[in-house]
Amino acid sequence: MKIFLNCAVLIMAFFLLFSEPTINDSSLDLVSASTSINPKITIKNYKNNKNFQYAVISGKKYDAANNQMLKYIASIYEADQKFKKENSKYASYSISKVKFNQDNKISISYINAFYLGGAHDDVIMTVFNFYKGKNITLQKAFKNSKAYFEANKYVKNYVLNHPHQYPLATQYTNIYNHQFYWTLKGINVVFDPYELDSFASGFKYVPVLQRYLKY
């Protein structure tokens, strides 16, 4: 657990660095999503390693977004290289997927797994959300603070009223500091394994309606 926590700290440290890593032009294009309106999004392998993927969005207005995601995967990769030297059992990967690409809204997820030995990996999800090229956090996706707090109450009531879907939900369940991605009807808030259900059930998603949202 100590190594996992140190890994998380290291990942955040790399993420905050201002130095720009180099894109490997020979990376393999894996997935593309585009229409005549929505920008093309390509999933590439970082340093030709299929276990570390990152997204590239076409168009100059997405330069900052692309740089942010590239820094992120570079930090994950550097942490992997560091901790493999310290622990022979350590392994990690980061798999990217386009969750939404419509109406100037883009959501790209990174499923990150860290294995330190034991029954299974530790798994978390990070989602980058962009509106017209600008990074949007969960709170900024809402109309205002009031809508943010009302949506939190809505989510808590929703999970408590659906115990078969979210058996580990409690009165303390909240959306604060969680990941999210856009949908056609609003957003889905992401809950990591063990937050609302068992590890075997994987990630859990709770819908929030458009009426609360700014975008």
Side-chain angles (χ1 to χ4, degrees):
M1 180 60 70
K2 182 177 179 182
I3 294 177
F4 175 73
L5 292 176
N6 289 337
C7 179
V9 171
L10 182 63
I11 289 171
M12 291 304 297
F14 274 103
F15 180 69
L16 294 175
L17 286 177
F18 289 96
S19 58
E20 182 176 349
T22 302
I23 296 179
N24 190 330
D25 292 331
S26 60
S27 295
L28 177 65
D29 291 359
L30 297 178
V31 178
S32 297
S34 66
T35 69
S36 58
I37 298 175
N38 304 316
K40 178 182 178 181
I41 303 176
T42 303
I43 304 299
K44 295 191 173 188
N45 293 332
Y46 184 72
K47 292 185 178 292
N48 289 324
N49 189 326
K50 65 181 180 180
N51 291 326
F52 299 91
Q53 300 176 347
Y54 66 102
V56 178
I57 310 170
S58 64
K60 189 166 182 59
K61 71 177 180 180
Y62 294 105
D63 284 353
N66 289 331
N67 187 50
Q68 185 178 7
M69 290 187 290
L70 182 58
K71 286 182 178 180
Y72 177 78
I73 197 61
S75 70
I76 298 288
Y77 180 84
E78 293 297 332
D80 175 79
Q81 299 302 297
K82 171 180 170 58
F83 287 103
K84 277 181 177 177
K85 295 177 181 179
E86 298 178 2
N87 183 349
S88 60
K89 294 182 179 181
Y90 182 83
S92 69
Y93 64 81
S94 183
I95 304 302
S96 183
K97 181 180 180 181
V98 179
K99 304 288 284 186
F100 195 82
N101 181 17
Q102 187 171 315
D103 302 325
N104 292 307
K105 295 181 287 189
I106 295 175
S107 295
I108 300 172
S109 68
Y110 290 76
I111 295 179
N112 305 305
F114 311 92
Y115 183 73
L116 300 170
H120 56 69
D121 301 349
D122 290 296
V123 184
I124 61 174
M125 183 186 296
T126 298
V127 186
F128 289 89
N129 297 285
F130 304 104
Y131 179 72
K132 294 184 177 180
K134 180 181 179 182
N135 184 48
I136 304 297
T137 62
L138 178 62
Q139 187 168 358
K140 289 181 179 178
F142 289 89
K143 293 178 179 178
N144 48 46
S145 295
K146 180 180 179 182
Y148 184 48
F149 297 135
E150 288 179 348
N152 182 63
K153 292 180 182 178
Y154 170 84
V155 167
K156 182 169 70 173
N157 290 333
Y158 186 93
V159 297
L160 290 175
N161 287 326
H162 294 80
H164 295 295
Q165 290 179 258
Y166 312 107
L168 299 183
T170 72
Q171 289 291 335
Y172 299 102
T173 297
N174 63 76
I175 66 174
Y176 306 136
N177 299 315
H178 277 76
Q179 304 294 306
F180 79 96
Y181 61 88
W182 274 298
T183 69
L184 291 174
K185 295 182 179 180
I187 64 172
N188 278 347
V189 179
V190 180
F191 289 81
D192 288 330
Y194 292 127
E195 289 192 284
L196 296 179
D197 205 344
S198 65
F199 180 87
S201 296
F203 297 97
K204 287 291 186 175
Y205 310 103
V206 184
V208 174
L209 302 178
Q210 184 63 45
R211 67 171 180 261
Y212 296 107
L213 303 173
K214 182 177 180 180
Y215 305 104

